[in-house]
Amino acid sequence: MKKLLLATAMVAVSGAAFAQDVVRLGTEGAYPPFNFINDAGEIAGFERDVGDELCARAALTCEWVTNDWDSIIPNLQSGNYDVIIAGMSITDERDEVIDFSQNYFPPAASAYVALSADADLTGVVSAQVSTIQAGYVAESGATLLEFATPDETIAAVRNGEAVAVFADKDFLAPIVAESNGELMFVADEVQLGGGVGLGLRESDAELKDKFNAAIQTMKDDGSLNALIEKHFGPETAKF
Amino acid sequence: MFAACADPKAIEGLTWAMCYLTSGKHLDFYWSFVTVLGLLAITAPTALAMGFAGATASRSRFLPVSLLGKGYAAIVRGVPDIVFFLFFVIALDQGIEYLKSLAVCPDHSWPWQGLEFRVCPEAKVPLGKSSAIWHQAYGFALAVFTFALVFGAFAANVLYGAMNAVPKAQLETAEAYGMSQSQVFRRILVPQMWVFALPGLSNLWMILIKATPLLFLLGVKDIVFWARELGGSKTQAYEYPHPDWRLWYFLGLLVFYLAFTKVSEIVLARISARLSHGQATAAGEAMRKAG
Amino acid sequence: MTCWETVQAYAFRSIGYGENLLPRTDFTLCQQFTLIGSGLIWNVYFGVLALAFGFFFAIAVALAKSSRRMLLRKPAEWFVFIFRGSPLFIQFFLAYESLQLLPKVGINVLGFTLETAWTTRAWAGALLVLFLNTSAYAAEIFHGALKSIPKGDLEAAEAYGLTGWQKFRRIQWPTMLRLAWPSYTNEAIFLFHATTLVFFSGFPAFRQMGDALYYAKYFADKTFNPFVPYPIVAVYFIALTLLLTFAFGLVNRRLNRHLPSNQKSRIRLRPQIIR
């Protein structure tokens, strides 16, 4: 009997090890500099570097997949990948259905960008559909204009469709910098969400612990800050 | 790809354009045309087969089968394809894994726990350890099946109409010659119905072509996905920064779709002429007179 | 909030009446049914108006396409080819891109300022695209029907001394409608289905006023569960399709009322042309 139990345990262990052989990381691939498809057609960006490093530290074999932002949580739940690493802010709503690792990017500032400094922020403000920023604009009393992609939210400001765009400051910063003074930040920054974390299924506590430990080591030895600086420039908030 | 492209930010003009258009991402874009054409080539016969099954079922004298056939056509046709695509693939994927889990998993606990779908690792399709190519192949197969299911419903409708359009006299003659029901079906009805089905099926083909931009909902990176991805404005984080060029990419796609439509029209007209030959229809009559 | 209160708060949310903020927590089935149903107003708006305007334009295009004059025929042929030959996805995109190129301050015509800002709004811009799109498809259907009017009917009309407008009004027009109607019914169904694309990819939603799919997406995104809101849209659309088939069936009966009963073409979906 003891032998039998042992054998079952062995199978269970090897089964678990077998299942953990490849951890699939799901990302969007359309949110630079967090994640994007580079010109070679590969997933690149801050999260690519962080994800690869975390997998190395946790001794996991990882594989990258891209998934549409809209169905990124249902597909995690459905088991099509094991981790969401897609610039996803930790919010209470999301935390109810999935688990988050500790954040690997500090709570980010969201900011308004407009064509002129005196833009009326109670007018039409564009934001990407189903982001925390869109929810914030709707509640702020401004008229929310929603677009499917972040690109279009910027285009809307350029062509006057919207007075301002409200999005992650880190996403907006390079665009403002390269616009030759056409676009500018207006009003104060707003802190939304609890930073960016890895999204995991609630039943995957073991995997979550591994990633949490790996993120902690990256925070401790400063390598995470180095990566943040590499992708977001020296002025971004760090740990 | 080329040696000159090693440092894209240092080059300009024609060289830049050449390097830009041959970047890995653009090669993926060109490859996606093959993917879409391949998917169409597989989907069309599959949808036709499903349509044929649906139409045959609708004609069945056994009520439940006929209701099943008619219900399939009516319900799937009533739902906008885009809505169908938004939830059906995930459901299909989970259904397949659930069925597999019944066969291979040691415990048969109910896999839907709240919003989470959990089966044992052995029941995953494809297995977690399989290489990326299998995941892609599986995704592609799911997309083909979903497309075929939707368009099969339309095809069922067309074929059902076509079967009814075959002149009754021909079927009765066949019966008078002593053919059994299934012989009439195989030897007379099926060969004769195509000429009536062709206009409807041609239209369906045209719609199928134009539904391919929805492929990205099914997880297949199609040409519209890449056009949007490549055309979007690129900051210095990319090797080839550029402003919003989506308009140019979409104009290119417009030309592609128009050309594809034109070629399809020409081919379908040929098939139609071939099928009309010797048929007791207006077109067949015209050919007889001309011939 | 009881279900009735929810209905009061959100039944007309899609056109800007009622509660300003969409539900954010504790989502109920009632909320989902109400809001998605409210969004259906937009689908019906786009569908009905595009169909109504498109009907007349399509007949004009079909006639132009059958014309012997090159100047009429060629533009009609190109119009039909371009709108039937490209995906609606791309048409929406190109239309939105070109509409927003119009000067924001308006165009000055003979001292009057023509406002242009409204053209990029979905209610106008998307309606225009859907109108042109359905016109092209319907024109092809009507053109096919015009060609298949029995030769004998036209010869008989001429024998009775009917020419030009009279011949068109009394012979060609009713026969064309009768022949085209089953296919046109299909086109109408497809058009209603196509309206779900408006906010999905084409035009931005303004003040969170969108169509059925827009709200379904909102709920799918908030509840992280696609298996409730999307089937609700599906149910609404199946009902809408049945209603549409019924209404078109009534017209069809009227169009065929002069035929002996054994020749009546039922609205049973015919194989000739389905879009």
Side-chain angles (χ1 to χ4, degrees):
Chain A
M1 188 64 203
K2 202 172 182 182
K3 208 171 174 181
L4 194 69
L5 270 178
L6 194 68
T8 330
M10 290 274 288
V11 169
V13 168
S14 66
F18 175 78
Q20 293 297 343
D21 249 353
V22 178
V23 173
R24 289 163 61 79
L25 306 177
T27 191
E28 188 197 6
Y31 199 57
F34 282 94
N35 59 74
F36 58 94
I37 313 271
N38 69 8
D39 294 286
E42 292 155 356
I43 297 161
F46 169 66
E47 284 172 329
R48 173 74 203 242
D49 290 353
V50 171
D52 284 347
E53 181 63 28
L54 289 177
C55 289
R57 289 185 185 217
L60 300 166
T61 320
C62 293
E63 208 174 79
W64 289 85
V65 273
T66 54
N67 195 88
D68 201 29
W69 175 254
D70 285 333
S71 60
I72 207 161
I73 289 184
N75 272 309
L76 173 78
Q77 307 276 34
S78 188
N80 290 339
Y81 34 80
D82 308 297
V83 178
I84 296 175
I85 172 163
M88 185 175 270
S89 297
I90 303 170
T91 63
D92 292 344
E93 307 183 302
R94 289 178 181 144
D95 213 4
E96 274 175 26
V97 287
I98 59 172
D99 259 7
F100 281 103
S101 71
Q102 61 165 309
N103 58 11
Y104 55 85
F105 191 81
S110 299
Y112 289 97
V113 161
L115 289 175
S116 66
D118 57 348
D120 173 19
L121 296 181
T122 55
V124 180
V125 176
S126 65
Q128 189 183 4
V129 67
S130 57
T131 53
I132 47 176
Q133 285 86 8
Y136 178 83
V137 173
E139 280 177 0
S140 75
T143 303
L144 173 63
L145 189 65
E146 286 171 295
F147 291 89
T149 62
D151 259 344
E152 288 165 297
T153 62
I154 311 280
V157 176
R158 284 217 165 93
N159 65 43
E161 189 81 355
V163 176
V165 50
F166 188 58
D168 269 339
K169 193 176 176 208
D170 296 304
F171 166 72
L172 294 171
I175 296 169
V176 172
E178 288 170 30
S179 73
N180 296 324
E182 185 194 5
L183 296 169
M184 61 190 75
F185 284 110
V186 292
D188 293 330
E189 295 168 3
V190 184
Q191 296 285 340
L192 293 176
V196 172
L198 301 173
L200 299 113
R201 283 183 293 270
E202 291 190 319
S203 54
D204 269 353
E206 197 189 331
L207 190 60
K208 181 176 139 185
D209 292 342
K210 280 187 190 168
F211 274 114
N212 269 337
I215 293 172
Q216 196 56 49
T217 64
M218 284 187 76
K219 279 182 176 169
D220 291 343
D221 67 9
S223 55
L224 190 57
N225 281 342
L227 281 180
I228 293 176
E229 186 157 332
K230 173 185 164 200
H231 288 276
F232 296 90
E235 277 137 51
T236 315
K238 289 189 268 289
F239 286 105
Chain B
M1 194 173 185
F2 300 102
C5 303
D7 184 12
K9 293 194 182 168
I11 52 179
E12 51 189 25
L14 260 183
T15 327
W16 188 89
M18 186 194 77
C19 291
Y20 174 67
L21 290 175
T22 54
S23 69
K25 212 169 173 179
H26 272 86
L27 297 182
D28 283 344
F29 175 50
Y30 305 140
W31 185 246
S32 71
F33 281 88
V34 179
T35 312
V36 167
L37 293 178
L39 186 127
L40 283 174
I42 303 174
T43 306
T46 318
L48 202 58
M50 285 192 179
F52 190 76
T56 316
S58 303
R59 282 174 64 87
S60 165
R61 298 223 182 90
F62 185 51
L63 190 68
V65 174
S66 117
L67 281 183
L68 191 75
K70 286 178 178 157
Y72 162 56
I75 291 176
V76 177
R77 285 177 72 248
V79 181
D81 44 6
I82 182 172
V83 176
F84 199 74
F85 292 158
L86 279 171
F87 71 91
F88 184 75
V89 175
I90 301 181
L92 181 65
D93 179 33
Q94 294 186 352
I96 290 174
E97 288 182 356
Y98 175 63
L99 288 181
K100 192 178 172 196
S101 81
L102 291 182
V104 299
C105 283
D107 70 307
H108 292 263
S109 55
W110 185 241
W112 284 275
Q113 305 290 336
L115 289 180
E116 215 176 297
F117 175 80
R118 193 161 181 83
V119 289
C120 66
E122 293 82 23
K124 282 280 159 212
V125 183
L127 291 170
K129 59 163 185 154
S130 326
S131 62
I133 188 92
W134 284 109
H135 285 274
Q136 281 172 9
Y138 177 64
F140 188 80
L142 284 186
V144 166
F145 180 78
T146 313
F147 250 70
L149 191 73
V150 170
F151 284 89
F154 290 98
N157 196 1
V158 171
L159 292 180
Y160 182 71
M163 286 178 181
N164 286 341
V166 174
K168 282 272 175 329
Q170 293 188 5
L171 305 180
E172 283 160 8
T173 311
E175 277 175 25
Y177 273 97
M179 287 193 196
S180 70
Q181 278 297 325
S182 67
Q183 277 175 328
V184 174
F185 182 74
R186 268 184 293 122
R187 296 192 188 166
I188 312 293
L189 187 70
V190 174
Q192 288 295 89
M193 76 177 182
W194 295 112
V195 67
F196 300 102
L198 194 71
L201 291 179
S202 321
N203 267 288
L204 207 51
W205 169 250
M206 297 292 184
I207 304 170
L208 183 63
I209 296 173
K210 267 146 252 154
T212 50
L214 295 180
L215 273 177
F216 82 96
L217 291 179
L218 306 181
V220 176
K221 296 201 176 77
D222 73 302
I223 49 182
V224 175
F225 168 87
W226 281 114
R228 191 177 298 166
E229 175 66 38
L230 286 164
S233 58
K234 299 280 179 287
T235 60
Q236 295 294 335
Y238 293 85
E239 289 187 339
Y240 301 92
H242 62 74
D244 190 348
W245 282 354
R246 282 176 304 161
L247 186 61
W248 306 113
Y249 281 91
F250 274 83
L251 282 175
L253 288 191
L254 182 71
V255 171
F256 166 75
Y257 275 108
L258 289 178
F260 196 20
T261 306
K262 195 80 209 169
V263 171
S264 300
E265 273 177 1
I266 293 169
V267 172
L268 288 167
R270 291 237 172 117
I271 298 178
S272 170
R274 167 85 46 97
L275 282 181
S276 297
H277 195 79
Q279 284 286 353
T281 60
E285 180 69 8
M287 282 172 84
R288 191 181 65 79
K289 278 185 187 152
Chain C
M1 219 175 186
T2 65
C3 191
W4 175 237
E5 281 167 349
T6 306
V7 171
Q8 283 178 320
Y10 290 117
F12 296 101
R13 176 62 181 80
S14 65
I15 44 175
Y17 295 99
E19 201 73 26
N20 187 33
L21 285 179
L22 298 184
R24 312 195 68 80
T25 46
D26 307 326
F27 304 96
T28 61
L29 263 184
C30 176
Q31 285 172 341
Q32 305 207 16
F33 266 102
T34 312
L35 258 178
I36 293 172
S38 160
L40 210 60
I41 296 174
W42 279 109
N43 297 101
V44 172
Y45 163 85
F46 286 125
V48 168
L49 286 190
L51 211 57
F53 295 134
F55 178 75
F56 296 101
F57 189 54
I59 287 169
V61 174
L63 288 175
K65 210 183 161 197
S66 325
S67 160
R68 254 178 252 119
R69 260 188 247 148
M70 187 103 121
L71 219 57
L72 282 175
R73 200 176 68 232
K74 281 289 158 195
E77 277 174 358
W78 274 101
F79 170 76
V80 171
F81 176 60
I82 286 180
F83 277 91
R84 282 183 82 226
S86 58
L88 194 55
F89 238 85
I90 291 180
Q91 292 170 19
F92 273 133
F93 175 83
L94 293 178
Y96 184 72
E97 291 290 305
S98 21
L99 284 174
Q100 71 184 14
L101 289 180
L102 296 174
K104 289 290 140 192
V105 287
I107 302 169
N108 204 333
V109 185
L110 305 169
F112 293 101
T113 310
L114 270 179
E115 288 284 334
T116 55
W118 53 272
T119 53
T120 54
R121 294 270 174 266
W123 67 263
L127 182 61
L128 179 73
V129 176
L130 286 169
F131 157 71
L132 293 174
N133 188 276
T134 189
S135 298
Y137 277 96
E140 187 64 23
I141 293 171
F142 290 137
H143 176 69
L146 272 180
K147 277 202 310 192
S148 43
I149 294 176
K151 210 171 117 198
D153 287 16
L154 298 177
E155 283 166 358
E158 275 162 23
Y160 274 100
L162 296 178
T163 49
W165 171 248
Q166 283 280 322
K167 189 172 86 174
F168 175 75
R169 167 74 190 75
R170 294 186 160 194
I171 309 296
Q172 283 174 303
W173 161 261
T175 315
M176 176 192 81
L177 272 192
R178 187 165 62 80
L179 293 177
W181 206 252
S183 316
Y184 190 61
T185 309
N186 273 325
E187 163 56 23
I189 295 173
F190 270 102
L191 176 68
F192 273 87
H193 288 185
T195 57
T196 51
L197 269 177
V198 171
F199 292 104
F200 187 79
S201 75
F203 285 73
F206 188 66
R207 286 191 179 168
Q208 301 187 300
M209 301 190 298
D211 74 331
L213 185 60
Y214 171 84
Y215 288 117
K217 242 179 85 153
Y218 176 84
F219 283 116
D221 188 69
K222 292 287 173 206
T223 61
F224 309 104
N225 182 3
F227 298 121
V228 176
Y230 294 132
I232 292 179
V233 184
V235 167
Y236 272 124
F237 266 93
I238 291 174
L240 192 65
T241 307
L242 289 178
L243 198 72
L244 207 63
T245 316
F246 175 73
F248 273 70
L250 288 183
V251 177
N252 193 55
R253 260 215 336 251
R254 192 176 154 74
L255 287 172
N256 288 298
R257 68 192 184 284
H258 60 288
L259 293 181
S261 62
N262 60 352
Q263 279 185 27
K264 271 186 185 155
S265 81
R266 294 220 329 271
I267 192 93
R268 186 189 66 223
L269 301 145
R270 307 268 244 40
Q272 274 81 338
I273 304 174
I274 79 148
R275 173 180 157 188

